[in-house]
């Protein structure tokens, strides 16, 4: 959701915006069928995922490093930082009011992932450059919202939390990874079940039962605004105000829980840690399936950080899920984002490490979250930088487009990731040049090879880099410089 249009402002954050609506690496381009890779595979025409066989077609773009990640399920792995973060958040949304869904399969239909949420057929998030396709009608979910309509339709509880691994083709750096984890939550009230059908009164009664907190909250805007944050036509102002108040109070309590634990861990690691009072602010926002909508930011270690997106659920979603009498709120939060803050983990690749020097630091914490502690780096191995420069085909565009010879930066990232895996820390575009006579464009990328677990040799780094160069030519048809 990184590039969603805003009524109020343009966000500079990455994680919180991406996870609520779900399409994080989206540009303003219009798309067609993406056929940028020239390589024709002779691999088997079916693939086994989660014990089920799926046919492959021209849309298939899964790579071995992606399929091998499906079984990891870090969000339910005992003592893993992602799982610990999930447990902390769940503690603020108790059952049976909230039902926890942590084991949904990541293989979903395009109907679930896109159509049920109202994404138009030409939405750029549907592109093969952004999404991992099993086949034309089946994808690896790009967001937990792929399960939203099904959970609403099942109607098994007043609220729910969905935690899951999600998949998106993306940049390579220390805060982005093609597999990451989201949590989505929702709370509903039913006009047929509340006393006298009075949603607002029922919600205010539930608000009165919530705990209090002493955190400073900045919330200068009205609950709704006709232009910036409109009231839905199916809701009364009283209903929207009550639902918004319950939503904000619930999420504020979640933030207090998370960052109180973060402060305790920080003080244990560093007695000189400056303990500032917790402070949050609510920012008006726009998300396609909530209105009114907000982002929540927290002031942490001297800076405002976006942590989540949320809002009052669009009523047509409830109607389409066959629960038209229900009203409520929903939110989404990125578990890596929170875990990196909570445990002071500097590199997102560490979450996928199986090195005991990493995992051993969190043993036993699932049984006692009060013993939470910061991650202690075990080494910093040297970086090895390699550049690769090439000419694009004359009909290519680095922003993507509607031709059969489209170049997209995510394709470079996939090739580098496929060759180097997790020893690639960072890939940056360092130069671009358009030839004044031919109009051809040249790009130069700098790849930082750095293992989290050992020092790489020049020989193995050179071999990996040469493989990257060869695959760029073979799969993207570029001309090396």
């Amino acid at each position: 959701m990184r590039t969603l249009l805003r009524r109020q402002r343009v966000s500079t954050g990455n994680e919180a915006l991406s996870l609520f609506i779900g399409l994080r690496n989206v540009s303003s381009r219009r798309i067609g069928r993406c056929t940028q890779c020239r390589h024709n595979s002779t691999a088997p025409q079916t693939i086994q995922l989660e014990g089920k066989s799926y046919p492959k077609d021209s849309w298939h773009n899964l790579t071995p490093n992606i399929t091998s990640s499906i079984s990891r399920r870090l969000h339910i792995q005992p003592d893993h930082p992602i799982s610990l973060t999930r447990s902390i958040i769940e503690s603020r949304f108790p059952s049976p009011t909230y039902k926890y869904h942590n084991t949904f399969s990541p293989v979903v239909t395009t109907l679930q992932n896109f159509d049920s949420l109202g994404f138009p057929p030409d939405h750029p998030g549907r592109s093969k450059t952004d999404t991992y396709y099993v086949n034309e009608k089946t994808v690896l979910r790009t967001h937990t919202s792929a399960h939203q309509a099904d959970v609403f339709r099942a109607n098994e509880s007043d609220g729910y939390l969905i935690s899951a691994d999600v998949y998106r083709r993306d940049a390579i750096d220390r805060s982005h990874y093609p597999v990451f984890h989201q949590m989505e939550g929702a709370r509903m009230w039913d006009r047929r079940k509340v006393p006298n059908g009075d949603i607002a009164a029922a919600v205010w009664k539930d608000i009165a039962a919530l705990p209090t907190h002493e955190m400073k909250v900045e919330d200068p805007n009205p609950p709704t605004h006709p232009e910036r944050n409109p009231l839905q036509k199916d809701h009364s102002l009283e209903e929207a105000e009550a639902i918004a108040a319950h939503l904000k109070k619930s999420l504020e309590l979640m933030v207090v829980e998370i960052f109180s634990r973060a402060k305790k861990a920080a003080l244990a690691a560093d007695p000189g840690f400056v303990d500032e009072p917790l402070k949050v602010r609510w920012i008006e926002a726009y998300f396609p399936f909530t209105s009114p909508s907000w982002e929540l930011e927290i002031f942490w270690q001297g800076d405002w950080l976006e942590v989540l997106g949320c809002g009052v659920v669009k009523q047509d979603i409830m109607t389409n899920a066959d629960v038209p009498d229900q009203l409520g709120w929903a939110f989404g939060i990125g578990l890596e984002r929170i875990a990196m803050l909570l445990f002071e983990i500097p590199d997102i690749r560490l979450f996928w490490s199986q090195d005991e020097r990493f995992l051993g630091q969190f043993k036993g914490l699932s049984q006692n979250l009060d013993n939470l502690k910061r991650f202690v780096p075990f080494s910093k191995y040297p970086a090895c930088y390699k550049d690769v420069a090439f000419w694009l085909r004359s009909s290519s565009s680095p922003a993507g487009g509607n031709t059969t010879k489209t170049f997209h930066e995510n394709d470079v990232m996939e090739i580098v990731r496929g060759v180097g895996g997790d020893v690639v820390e960072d890939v940056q575009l360092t130069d671009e040049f358009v030839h004044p006579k031919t109009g051809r464009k040249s790009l130069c990328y700098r790849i930082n090879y750095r293992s989290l677990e050992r020092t790489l040799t020049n020989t193995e780094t050179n071999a990996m880099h040469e493989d990257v160069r060869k695959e760029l030519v073979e799969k993207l048809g570029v001309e090396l410089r």
Side-chain angles (χ1 to χ4, degrees):
M1 162 174 355
R2 182 185 298 167
T3 57
L4 287 176
L5 298 176
R6 304 247 174 247
R7 295 191 181 93
Q8 177 76 357
R9 60 195 259 281
V10 177
S11 167
T12 59
N14 295 328
E15 196 72 22
L17 301 186
S18 72
L19 43 97
F20 190 43
I21 180 61
L23 292 169
R24 147 195 202 176
N25 194 26
V26 169
S27 70
S28 60
R29 67 191 186 281
R30 309 296 274 183
I31 67 163
R33 183 180 293 250
C34 177
T35 57
Q36 73 279 2
C37 289
R38 307 192 308 170
H39 180 68
N40 291 320
S41 174
T42 58
Q45 295 307 301
T46 61
I47 185 171
Q48 291 285 329
L49 298 172
E50 300 277 276
K52 184 177 178 181
S53 180
Y54 296 88
K56 296 195 294 186
D57 57 22
S58 63
W59 283 76
H60 182 83
N61 63 353
L62 301 190
T63 57
N65 61 315
I66 294 299
T67 56
S68 65
S69 300
I70 292 175
S71 63
R72 295 288 301 277
R73 298 181 181 269
L74 304 185
H75 63 292
I76 54 175
Q77 182 177 314
D79 295 336
H80 193 281
I82 298 296
S83 180
L84 296 171
T85 303
R86 172 189 58 78
S87 296
I88 291 170
I89 296 174
E90 286 178 349
S91 72
R92 296 309 317 161
F93 299 93
S95 61
T97 301
Y98 296 89
K99 183 173 181 177
Y100 309 141
H101 302 276
N102 297 326
T103 58
F104 286 144
S105 171
V107 184
V108 299
T109 65
T110 53
L111 173 66
Q112 291 172 298
N113 201 72
F114 299 120
D115 300 336
S116 70
L117 297 167
F119 289 97
D122 60 351
H123 193 286
R126 294 179 183 259
S127 170
K128 284 172 63 178
T129 60
D130 289 355
T131 295
Y132 289 106
Y133 276 82
V134 180
N135 55 51
E136 185 177 8
K137 298 297 184 182
T138 313
V139 299
L140 297 184
R141 63 182 164 225
T142 63
H143 45 202
T144 50
S145 299
H147 306 287
Q148 185 186 84
D150 295 332
V151 174
F152 280 145
R153 188 173 292 107
N155 197 22
E156 296 175 341
S157 56
D158 292 333
Y160 69 76
L161 295 178
I162 300 172
S163 300
D165 44 332
V166 298
Y167 300 76
R168 297 187 204 144
R169 301 176 94 223
D170 208 345
I172 299 177
D173 59 40
R174 296 175 72 179
S175 62
H176 293 93
Y177 202 80
V179 190
F180 56 105
H181 298 79
Q182 292 182 352
M183 175 181 281
E184 175 172 317
R187 175 69 163 92
M188 296 291 128
W189 290 265
D190 194 320
R191 284 195 173 108
R192 299 170 303 173
K193 296 180 180 179
V194 300
N196 304 314
D198 191 338
I199 291 285
V203 175
W204 284 113
K205 181 179 179 182
D206 287 339
I207 291 172
L210 292 174
T212 59
H213 65 74
E214 298 180 356
M215 179 175 62
K216 182 179 178 181
V217 178
E218 297 179 11
D219 191 8
N221 297 304
T224 66
H225 187 280
E227 296 178 355
R228 301 191 309 263
N229 230 1
L231 175 71
Q232 297 179 48
K233 63 180 179 62
D234 299 306
H235 298 170
S236 70
L237 180 60
E238 293 75 18
E239 288 171 337
E241 288 181 344
I243 291 170
H246 192 282
L247 165 65
K248 291 179 177 180
K249 184 69 172 293
S250 299
L251 296 180
E252 288 163 9
L253 290 165
M254 179 190 74
V255 165
V256 169
E257 182 73 20
I258 293 169
F259 286 91
S260 294
R261 291 181 181 276
K263 283 189 173 186
K264 182 179 177 181
L267 286 167
D270 178 12
F273 176 78
V274 178
D275 184 11
E276 297 176 313
L278 279 177
K279 180 168 61 175
V280 298
R281 64 185 182 190
W282 290 99
I283 307 295
E284 290 178 331
Y286 167 72
F287 302 117
F289 50 78
T290 57
S291 188
S293 305
W294 302 272
E295 297 159 13
L296 181 60
E297 298 182 348
I298 182 168
F299 193 75
W300 178 249
Q301 297 186 10
D303 197 13
W304 285 103
L305 305 175
E306 298 174 29
V307 293
L308 59 85
C310 62
V312 179
V313 178
K314 289 280 186 72
Q315 203 57 37
D316 60 346
I317 292 178
M318 308 309 299
T319 300
N320 292 338
D322 301 324
V323 284
D325 295 308
Q326 293 189 10
L327 289 72
W329 53 253
F331 76 91
I333 191 167
L335 294 181
E336 274 86 351
R337 169 77 161 172
I338 299 303
M340 291 175 87
L341 295 171
L342 184 59
F343 296 99
E344 289 286 315
I345 292 173
D347 192 317
I348 197 169
R349 293 176 299 163
L350 278 164
F351 291 119
W352 294 90
S353 173
Q354 300 190 64
D355 192 316
E356 188 61 23
R357 291 173 295 177
F358 175 72
L359 297 176
Q361 296 190 35
F362 310 101
K363 279 189 176 178
L365 293 184
S366 295
Q367 303 302 315
N368 189 350
L369 292 174
D370 290 335
N371 290 336
L372 224 61
K373 55 187 177 182
R374 280 183 165 183
F375 167 66
V376 179
F378 45 81
S379 189
K380 181 74 169 180
Y381 296 99
C384 184
Y385 295 96
K386 302 286 183 181
D387 289 349
V388 57
F390 50 82
W391 293 104
L392 299 179
R393 292 190 301 269
S394 58
S395 60
S396 296
S397 164
N402 207 16
T403 75
T404 59
K405 293 185 178 181
T406 297
F407 168 88
H408 195 284
E409 187 171 86
N410 281 352
D411 299 321
V412 176
M413 302 299 170
E414 283 299 297
I415 286 172
V416 174
R417 187 178 284 118
V419 172
D422 286 354
V423 303
V424 180
E425 178 179 289
D426 185 277
V427 179
Q428 296 292 332
L429 177 66
T430 57
D431 184 59
E432 53 184 308
F433 166 75
V434 177
H435 194 285
K437 292 184 178 180
T438 66
R440 293 185 71 190
K441 175 171 280 192
S442 169
L443 301 175
C444 180
Y445 287 91
R446 178 158 294 168
I447 304 173
N448 176 10
Y449 298 92
R450 190 207 307 261
S451 172
L452 292 166
E453 299 173 356
R454 62 184 179 85
T455 298
L456 298 173
T457 67
N458 282 330
T459 300
E460 63 184 326
T461 305
N462 288 337
M464 281 190 288
H465 194 64
E466 185 59 29
D467 286 343
V468 168
R469 289 166 54 86
K470 289 178 179 178
E471 291 212 14
L472 287 170
V473 172
E474 179 185 354
K475 294 187 175 180
L476 302 185
V478 302
E479 180 184 339
L480 296 176
R481 294 186 65 188

